[in-house]
């Protein structure tokens, strides 16, 4: 009788250990899958690049907002183009997930006549139930979408440089748009 009770206890422990390991394996696989889907997104953007490395089609509502940007409007006028004829070739976009909402957000990088020397304008658009909304415009050398979050959205680090200084700005989402959180300027060594 004692032997049967002991055997049942051992079997119960073995089942518990099996289910524990099975649960951990499933959770690990799901976690790795989630990390893989976000790691497949481009999160580092630079003026050194001619375009984004993981391109995505620019949605019509994003293009309409870009057409209203002051720099884009002035360049369009200089090129004698009508407002509805903004060339898509002036932009390069990459899809990204800034929050866990499931909506697709975009980082858009200026190209062609909109790009500057050592500086390029970046625009960040967040996906909403009503389309996309511009949440950051930044002429910088680099833009990095970090893993840290504020108000549910990933932080953004901006970097620019001169011949002797490097400037970094950390932007955090304030509930409506990205705003400067802290900045620093350092000498280039």
């Amino acid at each position: 009788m004692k032997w049967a009770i002991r055997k049942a206890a051992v079997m119960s422990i073995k089942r518990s250990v099996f289910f524990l390991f099975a649960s951990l394996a499933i959770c690990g696989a799901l976690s790795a899958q989630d990390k893989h889907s976000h790691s497949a997104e481009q999160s580092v953007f630079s003026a050194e690049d001619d375009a984004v490395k993981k391109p995505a089609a620019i949605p019509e509502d994003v293009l309409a907002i870009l057409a209203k940007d002051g720099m884009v409007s002035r360049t369009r006028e200089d090129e004698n183009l009508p407002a509805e004829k903004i060339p898509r070739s002036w932009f390069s976009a990459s899809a990204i997930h800034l929050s866990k909402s499931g909506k697709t957000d975009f980082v858009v990088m200026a190209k062609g006549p909109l790009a500057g020397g050592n500086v390029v304008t970046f625009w960040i658009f967040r996906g909403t139930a009503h389309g996309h909304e511009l949440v950051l415009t930044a002429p910088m050398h680099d833009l990095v979408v970090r893993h840290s979050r504020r108000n549910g959205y990933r932080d953004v680090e901006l970097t620019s440089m001169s011949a002797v200084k490097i400037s970094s700005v950390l932007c955090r989402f304030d509930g409506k748009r990205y705003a400067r959180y802290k900045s620093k300027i350092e000498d280039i060594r």
Side-chain angles (χ1 to χ4, degrees):
M1 181 81 170
K2 286 184 181 180
W3 179 81
I5 292 172
R6 208 178 253 161
K7 185 176 178 182
V10 168
M11 290 302 289
S12 176
I13 291 171
K14 284 183 179 179
R15 261 193 310 268
S16 296
V17 170
F18 172 77
F19 284 117
L20 174 67
F21 282 119
S23 297
L24 289 173
I26 291 170
C27 289
L30 291 174
S31 176
Q33 182 181 11
D34 183 50
K35 285 180 183 174
H36 178 71
S37 68
H38 287 292
S39 68
E41 297 177 339
Q42 182 177 348
S43 61
V44 177
F45 303 86
S46 177
E48 299 293 325
D49 300 323
D50 293 332
V52 300
K53 294 177 182 171
K54 297 192 180 226
I58 301 173
E60 289 298 325
D61 63 332
V62 169
L63 195 60
I65 295 168
L66 288 168
K68 296 175 186 172
D69 180 88
M71 178 183 65
V72 175
S73 294
R74 285 187 299 279
T75 305
R76 178 189 52 76
E77 289 169 5
D78 290 346
E79 300 279 332
N80 295 316
L81 296 171
E84 63 278 356
K85 296 286 186 185
I86 299 291
R88 287 180 184 269
S89 62
W90 287 4
F91 309 100
S92 183
S94 187
I96 194 163
H97 291 87
L98 299 170
S99 71
K100 294 181 180 180
S101 71
K103 305 260 188 261
T104 302
D105 309 302
F106 289 91
V107 174
V108 179
M109 178 178 166
K111 289 178 43 180
L114 301 176
N118 207 33
V119 172
V120 69
T121 299
F122 296 99
W123 296 270
I124 296 181
F125 293 86
R126 75 172 178 152
T128 70
H130 306 291
H132 292 89
E133 179 176 278
L134 179 63
V135 292
L136 178 72
T137 301
M140 288 285 169
H141 187 274
D142 298 314
L143 181 146
V144 177
V145 179
R146 296 172 62 173
H147 292 288
S148 56
R149 294 177 186 273
R150 176 70 168 210
N151 292 321
Y153 282 77
R154 294 168 66 182
D155 295 338
V156 173
E157 185 174 2
L158 305 167
T159 307
S160 64
M161 51 198 86
S162 69
V164 294
K165 303 271 185 199
I166 294 177
S167 173
S168 290
V169 178
L170 179 64
C171 297
R172 288 191 160 164
F173 192 71
D174 68 7
K176 293 186 180 191
R177 61 183 182 83
Y178 279 94
R180 178 186 307 245
Y181 173 67
K182 63 180 175 179
S183 60
K184 66 180 176 179
I185 299 175
E186 297 176 313
D187 292 330
I188 293 179
R189 299 176 189 166

